[in-house]
Structure formats: structure tokens, C-alpha cells
């Protein structure tokens, strides 16, 4: 019984991490209709950048995150403005190939610079248990992941829903022509969206690096998790990523509890397939394009 | 300054090898309602797209308030003071009526007068106030057209371009929309309207242009244009075949 409770709690908390891993992918798909194949590698690149800043600034986690976000926002703007925006009007395939190419470049560049060894980001709360009872123990890193994911998702939802720029981003997603005729520079909105996605990837990179070890070639593993999250939650739905993350996390941990640890990943994707059969667009899908 | 707020001079627009508009010129007097009449495929919407910066003309120039705006981005054209209610309303279906209207005043100049503009559009179209919290996808065809015009007014423009004003609407609704348009025009907003309803276009406008196969074939004060000949041009019969 204790183990079941522990599995449920850990599954939910792990879902928070999964949610933030999938958030940038979902946002970019929802606004631009672009499947960013580079998302996983970009997130791992963020983990490396945070790690480097951590070494330079002696582990000041806020400072290293802020600097990493600043770097990645600039990178995201350049990536979107000078690569993706050039081909995005030509249909989904050219842009998809661009992100695929960038993904390969990032993975190889990371291996060239940092080597193939496992890395991690150290923080004060990474190994501390914040709750430790007979029934359940909660690690500081897992709790932080969940809290940060919820805060980021709520703030991003409010930004998209309530602000002038958020409305312009939604308008660009809903009807490009009408948005342009309202005076919205839709390409600029795409760049802003990519910058936001990069900022969330940075936060995800920090949390992943603080929870697990990572390698230059860990990106595709997280890309698959991100796909699982957005497919379950609904492509383009920001709250859907939290729901998708929690469902995927719970499915993995409960699968592991009932069938053994070898079935953890398998159970997650079985649940994903069942949900896809029942609800093909995802649970909270809102992606409609013109 | 010229009495014409908008001038399109010898515009030609092509889609690849196909020339949709050939050497078309048009002038819109400030404070007037000007109609552009033509059958489907005459090139009216393409001409408007070129004026709004959606398509770059292959030849010719567009001037707004005597400043050349040829080929500028739509966002810059809107900032200059032209708003458009596009064909098929082109509203944001996933947004509420109020959010659609807020998108109308996206430009900072209009955003500063947001409350005043909301009062104005709600007094013109009270139905939009009633439905302000509804998703716009649930509006009827007439209400969508009203929303498209109201959204254009929210941009606080000097001129509004309405493309296919009456497309798919019931006659009674068309009459109501034309009445509202006249009301807005009396407040000083210039209109360039494109419609397939020849009778109403001529009745409500001050000046009209008739387009056939990508070129202008007739123009003049709306009350002076021979309606039978306009209809011949519209249907592409007799000398316009």
C-alpha cells in the first residue's frame, strides 16, 4: 500500500517535470503549426548552458537560470527569424526539416564541446527529502519540478489569455490573414513565441539537469516524452500539457508498480495509445488553423 | 493635400503567370463611399489585397493621403489609417466577440482610445454588446459581418475597406448593414466597398468603379452610371463578353 501511494505521488510530481518538458513543443505547435524536432536537443543544450553558468557563478541557481534564459531567448529569436520564418509559409515540411537539421547540429556540437560523459546540475535541494513519512517521501527536486511547472504554466496561460501580446499571438495562430489586417506582424509573433518556448525549455533544462543526469544525446529521449505529453494533453493546449504530463507520469509509475520497472516506459505509451483512440485530438486540444 | 485620400495608379497584380489585375486605377475621395463592382473573378479582392499590402503589385503605385504606400506590409498600412473588413468576415473564431474587438484596436493609437471606441461600436451594433462574452464562432452570418465592420471601426481608421459586404447574407440584414455603414460614414470615415449587390452598391455609394477581367471598364458618380450597362459588365454580356 505504501508503495502504491508513493508511486501515485511520484507519478504526479514527475508529471510536472514532463509537463514543462512538453510546454515549449506544445506552444510552438499551437501557434505556428510547427513540430519542432529540435525541442529535445534545445532543452538539453539549455541544461549544458545552465551547467556552465553554474560553474562560473558558483551554483547561484537564479542567476544561472536568468543568464541561460537570456542566451536562449536570443538564440530562439535568431533561429526563428533567420531559419524557420524563411520557410514557414511554404508548408509544414520545410520548417520541419529545418528543425531536424538544427537538432543534429546541436547534438553533435554538444558532444564535440562537452564530450559524451554524463553531467548533472547540482543544487541544494536536489538530494533533500522535503517529506519523509512511513507512507510517502517526497524529494525536494521532484516537488520543485512540480511547483515550478504549475507556476510557469499558470503564468504563461495568463499571458496568452490576458495580455495584448498574448492576444496577438493567439490571433496569429487562429487566422493569419485577419491578424495581419489588424496590424499584427505575425512573423514577429512567431519569433516571440519561439523565444517563450526557449525560456520554458531553459527552465525544463535546469529541472531535468537537477533531477537526472544528462548527456549530449539525451535530447531525443525528452523529445519523445514531450510528444507524449502534448499528444495526451492536446496539441497546442497550455493547460493540456500539465494534464498530459501528469497522466504520462502516473501511467509510468503505476505501470512500474503493477508490472515491474521494466514496464515503466511501455505503460506510459500504452495509456497514450488508449487515450489517442478515445480522444484523437488530445484531451484539451484547441488547435485550429486557417 | 489632394482631395483623394486613396489613389491606386495603374496597378497590375499577378499570381505567377496569371495576371489578375491589369493597369487598374482608382481614386477615393475623402469622406465618400466609393463602390467597386464586379463579378466573381473580376480582380476586385486582388486589387484590395494589393492596396492593403497583402500582395505586391507587379506595376503601379498606391498613395494614401499623398504618401506612397505601395508594397508596404499590412501592419504598416493599418498603422497609416486604413482598416479592412475582409471577405467572409475573417474573424477570430476561437476568440470572444470582445477579444475580436480588442484585436481591432491592436495599434497603440487606437488602443489609447479603447473605451471610447467600444462605446461607439456598441451603440452602432448593440447586439455585439449582448454577445461580447460569446465565442465569435457562434455568431450568425449577419452578426459576423457586423463584428468585422465593428472591428475595423475599433482601429479608429480614416478609411475602411469592406470586401464582399453582403456575401451570403439575407436581404434584410444587408439593408441593416448598409444603413450602419452610412451612419459611420457621416462621422467622417471614408469607405471603399466591394459588393456583388449592384443595386445597393450604386444606391449607397457616391462614386463607383466597375471591374471586368482585371481592368476598370467604367466609372462615375453612382447616380449617373447606367444600371443596365453596369449589369452587362457585371454579368460579362453584350459588349463586355
Amino acid at each position: 500500500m505504501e508503495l502504491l501511494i508513493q508511486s501515485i505521488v511520484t507519478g504526479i510530481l514527475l508529471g510536472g517535470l514532463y509537463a514543462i518538458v512538453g510546454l515549449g513543443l506544445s506552444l510552438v505547435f499551437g501557434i505556428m503549426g510547427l513540430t519542432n524536432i529540435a525541442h529535445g536537443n534545445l532543452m538539453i543544450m539549455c541544461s549544458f548552458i545552465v551547467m556552465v553558468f553554474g560553474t562560473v557563478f558558483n551554483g547561484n541557481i537564479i542567476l544561472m537560470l536568468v543568464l541561460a534564459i537570456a542566451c536562449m531567448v536570443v538564440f530562439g529569436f535568431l533561429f526563428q527569424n533567420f531559419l524557420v520564418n524563411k520557410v514557414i509559409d511554404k508548408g509544414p515540411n520545410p520548417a520541419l526539416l529545418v528543425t531536424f537539421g538544427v537538432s543534429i547540429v546541436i547534438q553533435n556540437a554538444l558532444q564535440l564541446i562537452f564530450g559524451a560523459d554524463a553531467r548533472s546540475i547540482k543544487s541544494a535541494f536536489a538530494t533533500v527529502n522535503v517529506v519523509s513519512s512511513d507512507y510517502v517521501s517526497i524529494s525536494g527536486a521532484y516537488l520543485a519540478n512540480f511547483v515550478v511547472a504549475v507556476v510557469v504554466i499558470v503564468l504563461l496561460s495568463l499571458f496568452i489569455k490576458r495580455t495584448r501580446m498574448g492576444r496577438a499571438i493567439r490571433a496569429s495562430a487562429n487566422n493569419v490573414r485577419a491578424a495581419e489586417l489588424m496590424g499584427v506582424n505575425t512573423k514577429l509573433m512567431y519569433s516571440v513565441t519561439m523565444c517563450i518556448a526557449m525560456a520554458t525549455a531553459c527552465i525544463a533544462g535546469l529541472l531535468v539537469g537537477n533531477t537526472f543526469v544528462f548527456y549530449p544525446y539525451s535530447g531525443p529521449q525528452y523529445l519523445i516524452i514531450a510528444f507524449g505529453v502534448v499528444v495526451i494533453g492536446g496539441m497546442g493546449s497550455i493547460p493540456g500539457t500539465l494534464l498530459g504530463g501528469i497522466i504520462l507520469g502516473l501511467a509510468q509509475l503505476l505501470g512500474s508498480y503493477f508490472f515491474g520497472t521494466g514496464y515503466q516506459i511501455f505503460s506510459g505509451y500504452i495509456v497514450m495509445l488508449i487515450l489517442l483512440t478515445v480522444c484523437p485530438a488530445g484531451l484539451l486540444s484547441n488547435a485550429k488553423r486557417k | 493635400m489632394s482631395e483623394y485620400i486613396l489613389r491606386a495608379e495603374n496597378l497590375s497584380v499577378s499570381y505567377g503567370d496569371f495576371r489578375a489585375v491589369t493597369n487598374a486605377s482608382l481614386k477615393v475621395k475623402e469622406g465618400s463611399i466609393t463602390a467597386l463592382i464586379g463579378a466573381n473573378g473580376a480582380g476586385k479582392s486582388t486589387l484590395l489585397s494589393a492596396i492593403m499590402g497583402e500582395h505586391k503589385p507587379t506595376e503601379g503605385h498606391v498613395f494614401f493621403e499623398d504618401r506612397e504606400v505601395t508594397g508596404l506590409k499590412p501592419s504598416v498600412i493599418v498603422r497609416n489609417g486604413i482598416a479592412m473588413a475582409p471577405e467572409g468576415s475573417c474573424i477570430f473564431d476561437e476568440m470572444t466577440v470582445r477579444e475580436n474587438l480588442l484585436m481591432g484596436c491592436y495599434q497603440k493609437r487606437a488602443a489609447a482610445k479603447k473605451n471610447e471606441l467600444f462605446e461607439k461600436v456598441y451603440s452602432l451594433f448593440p447586439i455585439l454588446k449582448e454577445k461580447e462574452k460569446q465565442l465569435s464562432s457562434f455568431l450568425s452570418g449577419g452578426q459576423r459581418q457586423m463584428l468585422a465592420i465593428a472591428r475595423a471601426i475599433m482601429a479608429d481608421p480614416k478609411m475602411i475597406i469592406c470586401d464582399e459586404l453582403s456575401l451570403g447574407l439575407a436581404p434584410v440584414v444587408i439593408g441593416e448593414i448598409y444603413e450602419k455603414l452610412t451612419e459611420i460614414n457621416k462621422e467622417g470615415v471614408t469607405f471603399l466597398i466591394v459588393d456583388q449587390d449592384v443595386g445597393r452598391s450604386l444606391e449607397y455609394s457616391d462614386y463607383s468603379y466597375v471591374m471586368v477581367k482585371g481592368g476598370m471598364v467604367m466609372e462615375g458618380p453612382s447616380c449617373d452610371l447606367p444600371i443596365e450597362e453596369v449589369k452587362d459588365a457585371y454579368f460579362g454580356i453584350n459588349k463586355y463578353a
Side-chain angles (χ1 to χ4, degrees), chain A residues 63-98:
Chain A
L63 187 60
M64 58 205 218
L65 180 63
V66 169
L67 287 171
I69 286 177
C71 291
M72 286 309 290
V73 163
V74 172
F75 178 86
F77 185 82
L78 297 175
F79 170 51
Q80 181 69 33
N81 217 37
F82 295 106
L83 289 174
V84 182
N85 277 353
K86 302 287 178 200
V87 295
I88 200 152
D89 296 332
K90 297 179 172 66
N93 293 340
L96 189 82
L97 284 174
V98 165

Side-chain angles (χ1 to χ4, degrees), chain A residues 161 164-168 170-185 189 286-290, chain B residues 49 52 54 73-75 78 84 86-87 90-95 99 102-108 111 144 151 163:
Chain A
K161 187 85 184 151
R164 176 175 173 267
M165 185 175 273
R167 266 194 305 275
R170 279 163 58 210
S172 306
N174 189 189
N175 194 320
V176 175
R177 183 178 181 223
E180 293 264 348
L181 289 172
M182 297 302 108
V184 176
N185 183 342
M189 289 306 120
N286 60 359
K288 248 187 254 169
R289 319 205 98 243
K290 274 189 186 173
Chain B
S49 298
M52 286 305 293
E54 292 183 276
K73 284 182 181 175
S75 53
V78 174
M84 187 172 183
E87 184 181 353
C90 235
I91 61 175
F92 302 110
D93 285 330
E94 289 168 27
M95 291 185 172
E99 285 176 327
L102 279 170
M103 281 311 300
C105 61
Y106 177 73
Q107 298 293 335
K108 281 184 179 152
R144 288 168 76 90
R151 195 179 58 184
D163 193 7

Side-chain angles (χ1 to χ4, degrees), chain A residues 253-274:
Chain A
L253 270 287
L254 289 177
S256 169
Y257 171 78
F258 286 114
F259 310 114
T261 45
Y263 288 90
Q264 180 171 337
I265 305 293
F266 177 75
S267 329
Y269 291 104
I270 286 291
V271 168
M272 187 184 94
L273 283 176
I274 293 168

Side-chain angles (χ1 to χ4, degrees), chain A residues 29-45:
Chain A
F29 181 83
I31 303 300
M32 291 180 239
L34 168 69
T35 308
N36 183 6
I37 299 286
H39 184 73
N41 280 328
L42 283 164
M43 194 201 75
I44 290 300
M45 182 167 99

Side-chain angles (χ1 to χ4, degrees), chain A residues 88-113:
Chain A
I88 200 152
D89 296 332
K90 297 179 172 66
N93 293 340
L96 189 82
L97 284 174
V98 165
T99 64
F100 186 56
V102 168
S103 181
I104 294 170
V105 170
I106 291 171
Q107 195 173 41
N108 285 287
L110 289 177
Q111 191 150 358
L112 194 68
I113 298 165

